[in-house]
Amino acid sequence: MVRSVRISLATKCQLLFGAAVILILSAALGVVWHRMQLLVDEGQQEIARQLASAWVDDKIQLGAFLQPVERIEPPTELGEGMTLSLIDKEDFDLAVVHDPTLDSVIEIFQMRPERQDDFRRKRDLHGQAYYRYVRAIRKSDMAHIQGGVAAGFKPTLEAPGFADPLEKILLIQLHAQLPARQLMLNRVYLIAGGLLACLLAIGTFWFITTKLILSPLRVLRETAEQVGRGDLNIRAEVTTGDEFQQLADVFNDMLTTLKKNTDQLQGINKSLDLKLGELAETNVALYEANKIKGEFLANVSHELRTPLNSIVGFAEVLEETLIDRTGPVDEKRKRYIANIILSSRRLLDLINDLLDLAKIEAGRIEINPSPMSVADTLEGLLNLLRPQASKRDIELVLRVTPNIPIVQTDASKYQQIVFNLLANAIKFTPERGRVTLAAAVMNHPNSPADEPMLRVSIQDTGPGIPPEDQQRVFDKFTQLDPSVTKTHGGTGLGLTISKELADLLQGQIEIESEPGHGATFILWTPMAINTDTGNAPLMPSHRP
Ligand code: ADP
């Protein structure tokens, strides 16, 4: 797992600036350091050069140049550790054995007569630094020294190396301890100065970052944290008079707007809460009213059915007594009685439907599953409706796939649904049409594959139902074509009740229809009602 290391802005600034200060000071002091070494080197070179010139002049005056001096005691004011040797060209090889780097110096002197001397810093066997100065003494110098110039000696420019050959070298070694000590002291001062400058620079920057940059930032951060904890009354107090103050002002303005909006939202929330409470109360009241309405309907329908049944019964008796009687008065009576019977029956149908619906809505309907033979039930229903169909010459067809197992359902509710759908199909099919009742066991697209369902379809050759009305027909009192109702009757409650019953049987009703090509109502129900889930539908309801 990658963990991100969090470094505060203050630490970041201080680290970066510290590194930058150290780098810049190191570079600046490095130059001084180097320059100091060069100055000491140049001073030592000058000393050696002057010493060599003095020595050579001295020899000229003494006229004893040709007597080689192996070692000369240094002048006391120059300190100890200074040696001077004059090496004749005969001894060059010997000198090279002692100091191999002399070889290249001698070679350069021999090749280039304009080169007078060579100076370099070296280290002895003990690691001590010393300076070696080598002065070339050529034939012209010798001639000059010995009065050679007067004798007419002149170096040839065409072949200078050979024209003015190297005769001797003067070797001066300076074990310059005093300058080395001074150099060391200077370096110590330099380092101390550098460290002090570093500390001062870092301290200054620390002060600047902490006081000028980070403290307003800290105020802003703390304010933002307080806001994050929900305190919208806090404000950032920054009075630096610079961009930080501008930032704080903008931040404070933002907080003011936020506070205003939050207050508004809280107000709206409060009124919403109130409305919600009112709505809940209205809902309870509605529920109560609905329940009372259901109970009232159930009671009233019951009270209405009894007298209506007597009216129908007595009207039928009256009708029978008039069967054999003819004459204009009796014909009139027969017509009136037929009207009473028809109207009473329609009223009774309406009341029955209302009673059923009221019971369902009041939750007073109980489901009693029992074994049911699909083929027998459907055939019985067809037989019941056959007289009605044959009156209008409508063909009734039954198609049941063989071996449909016995299903566990509430048979009377199931029959009521199919009866309603069949009655509708016959009612809306024109004369000489056909109604097909079919049954099969198959999977519904929305149900689990291992749970096949009973599919019963009622297909007619009537006007059909346009797609936009296929949901609406299940609403209470919905009738698409009221003219049909006039001739054939109907309450607009049949499909509503059928749908509610199908829900209770844990099934559903679907419609397949194209206007002008008949309609097919399909009733899907489980092979056995699941009593564990109560009466909850197993399938999604088709009603929005
Ligand atoms: P109704 O008592 O009017 O038949 P329903 O609830 O049974 O009441 O039907 C509601 C409406 O649905 C009907 O009035 C009719 O317009 C339409 N409908 C029902 N079944 C069919 C069908 N088989 N063909 C065409 N329309 C139908």
Side-chain angles (χ1 to χ4, degrees):
M1 207 174 86
V2 182
R3 276 181 58 188
S4 63
V5 185
R6 290 185 67 179
I7 304 176
S8 73
L9 181 64
T11 319
K12 239 186 255 175
C13 285
Q14 281 154 9
L15 280 177
L16 284 175
F17 186 74
V21 165
I22 290 171
L23 210 73
I24 293 167
L25 275 177
S26 305
L29 294 182
V31 173
V32 178
W33 180 284
H34 185 64
R35 187 66 205 144
M36 231 155 58
Q37 179 74 61
L38 280 181
L39 275 177
V40 171
D41 289 355
E42 281 169 11
Q44 292 300 304
Q45 186 176 11
E46 197 48 41
I47 289 170
R49 193 172 278 154
Q50 282 177 13
L51 195 65
S53 301
W55 188 84
V56 170
D57 289 351
D58 196 33
K59 286 298 131 191
I60 293 166
Q61 277 168 20
L62 284 176
F65 191 81
L66 291 173
Q67 302 299 317
V69 182
E70 292 298 331
R71 189 172 280 259
I72 289 179
E73 284 302 315
T76 46
E77 66 267 24
L78 289 176
E80 289 187 353
M82 182 183 296
T83 57
L84 188 147
S85 324
L86 185 68
I87 301 165
D88 194 73
K89 65 181 173 192
E90 306 295 329
D91 293 331
F92 280 174
D93 291 345
L94 200 65
V96 168
V97 171
H98 284 292
D99 184 354
T101 56
L102 267 178
D103 194 24
S104 62
V105 178
I106 292 168
E107 202 176 309
I108 289 171
F109 283 164
Q110 284 171 341
M111 297 303 294
R112 298 166 63 186
E114 78 277 7
R115 277 294 295 266
Q116 278 295 322
D117 54 10
D118 176 81
F119 180 82
R120 57 185 74 177
R121 184 151 39 92
K122 294 173 68 67
R123 286 194 181 275
D124 64 11
L125 292 173
H126 308 292
Q128 292 285 333
Y130 70 94
Y131 295 99
R132 188 193 68 192
Y133 178 77
V134 188
R135 166 79 180 262
I137 297 177
R138 299 180 183 280
K139 197 162 187 179
S140 61
D141 295 324
M142 302 281 289
H144 174 71
I145 292 162
Q146 295 167 44
V149 178
F153 179 82
K154 250 186 157 182
T156 314
L157 286 172
E158 285 76 19
F162 298 102
D164 192 6
L166 185 68
E167 291 296 325
K168 295 171 194 300
I169 54 169
L170 183 65
L171 187 68
I172 297 175
Q173 289 189 352
L174 296 170
H175 282 272
Q177 275 147 1
L178 184 67
R181 267 202 302 276
Q182 278 173 347
L183 187 67
M184 181 62 74
L185 203 66
N186 280 345
R187 282 178 175 170
V188 169
Y189 275 116
L190 196 70
I191 291 171
L195 283 178
L196 193 69
C198 257
L199 282 178
L200 276 176
I202 289 173
T204 312
F205 186 72
W206 178 83
F207 180 78
I208 292 171
T209 47
T210 313
K211 294 286 164 209
L212 291 185
I213 302 172
L214 297 175
S215 82
L217 269 184
R218 209 163 283 144
V219 171
L220 280 171
R221 195 196 64 199
E222 278 163 11
T223 314
E225 278 172 359
Q226 280 285 97
V227 172
R229 282 194 283 272
D231 182 2
L232 291 181
N233 293 317
I234 195 165
R235 294 291 177 270
E237 301 291 343
V238 179
T239 49
T240 50
D242 52 17
E243 283 84 349
F244 280 118
Q245 190 173 343
Q246 284 174 8
L247 189 68
D249 289 347
V250 173
F251 186 63
N252 288 342
D253 288 350
M254 217 167 72
L255 278 180
T256 311
T257 318
L258 197 68
K259 173 91 178 74
K260 216 170 82 188
N261 291 348
T262 313
D263 286 349
Q264 266 178 7
L265 268 178
Q266 272 172 353
I268 294 171
N269 249 3
K270 261 187 202 151
S271 68
L272 265 179
D273 277 352
L274 274 176
K275 292 246 158 63
L276 218 67
E278 282 170 16
L279 217 67
E281 278 171 22
T282 318
N283 241 1
V284 172
L286 266 175
Y287 173 78
E288 289 294 329
N290 206 30
K291 215 169 133 200
I292 291 167
K293 182 200 82 183
E295 281 167 6
F296 169 80
L297 264 177
N299 291 336
V300 170
S301 308
H302 185 74
E303 296 307 319
L304 284 173
R305 255 197 325 180
T306 322
L308 259 178
N309 270 327
S310 328
I311 292 172
V312 174
F314 283 117
E316 281 171 352
V317 172
L318 266 179
E319 195 180 32
E320 268 173 34
T321 56
L322 290 176
I323 274 179
D324 304 326
R325 296 171 68 163
T326 47
V329 179
D330 288 324
E331 285 308 318
K332 215 175 187 179
R333 278 185 188 148
K334 273 185 195 171
R335 241 186 8 257
Y336 290 165
I337 289 173
N339 272 343
I340 292 171
I341 293 173
L342 185 73
S343 302
S344 304
R345 280 205 181 123
R346 281 192 182 170
L347 201 57
L348 202 59
D349 282 350
L350 179 65
I351 288 166
N352 279 339
D353 282 353
L354 280 173
L355 183 63
D356 281 350
L357 199 64
K359 271 189 190 163
I360 292 170
E361 286 184 347
R364 289 221 204 134
I365 288 240
E366 276 185 17
I367 297 297
N368 302 309
S370 58
M372 183 187 89
S373 157
V374 177
D376 292 350
T377 306
L378 298 187
E379 200 172 344
L381 286 169
L382 267 194
N383 289 338
L384 208 64
L385 285 160
R386 207 173 288 283
Q388 210 174 308
S390 49
K391 260 191 217 162
R392 293 174 40 237
D393 213 4
I394 292 172
E395 182 190 0
L396 293 183
V397 182
L398 179 65
R399 279 197 202 124
V400 180
T401 52
N403 305 327
I404 291 188
I406 298 289
V407 293
Q408 280 286 339
T409 188
D410 188 317
S412 72
K413 311 275 180 313
Y414 195 89
Q415 284 173 16
Q416 193 176 344
I417 301 169
V418 180
F419 183 87
N420 270 345
L421 299 177
L422 260 180
N424 272 353
I426 294 168
K427 187 162 77 178
F428 291 102
T429 298
E431 281 187 13
R432 288 183 291 285
R434 190 189 321 115
V435 171
T436 311
L437 181 61
V441 175
M442 57 174 74
N443 284 319
H444 186 274
N446 295 346
S447 68
D450 56 345
E451 276 181 35
M453 302 187 82
L454 175 61
R455 179 189 191 272
V456 169
S457 63
I458 299 98
Q459 188 181 16
D460 61 48
T461 53
I465 302 171
E468 64 273 16
D469 291 328
Q470 288 178 7
Q471 296 289 331
R472 204 160 69 82
V473 290
F474 291 99
D475 293 343
K476 285 178 210 168
F477 304 109
T478 303
Q479 292 179 316
L480 299 182
D481 182 2
S483 64
V484 180
T485 316
K486 269 187 196 151
T487 29
H488 301 288
T491 58
L493 287 174
L495 285 183
T496 314
I497 294 168
S498 300
K499 193 222 160 260
E500 296 290 347
L501 289 177
D503 278 353
L504 287 173
L505 297 185
Q506 300 166 1
Q508 71 176 46
I509 300 173
E510 292 170 355
I511 301 178
E512 284 175 6
S513 173
E514 267 182 53
H517 294 92
T520 306
F521 282 76
I522 303 161
L523 171 64
W524 291 93
T525 45
M527 298 303 287
I529 285 182
N530 186 351
T531 42
D532 294 344
T533 59
N535 292 333
L538 283 180
M539 305 178 63
S541 171
H542 58 195
R543 209 141 14 140

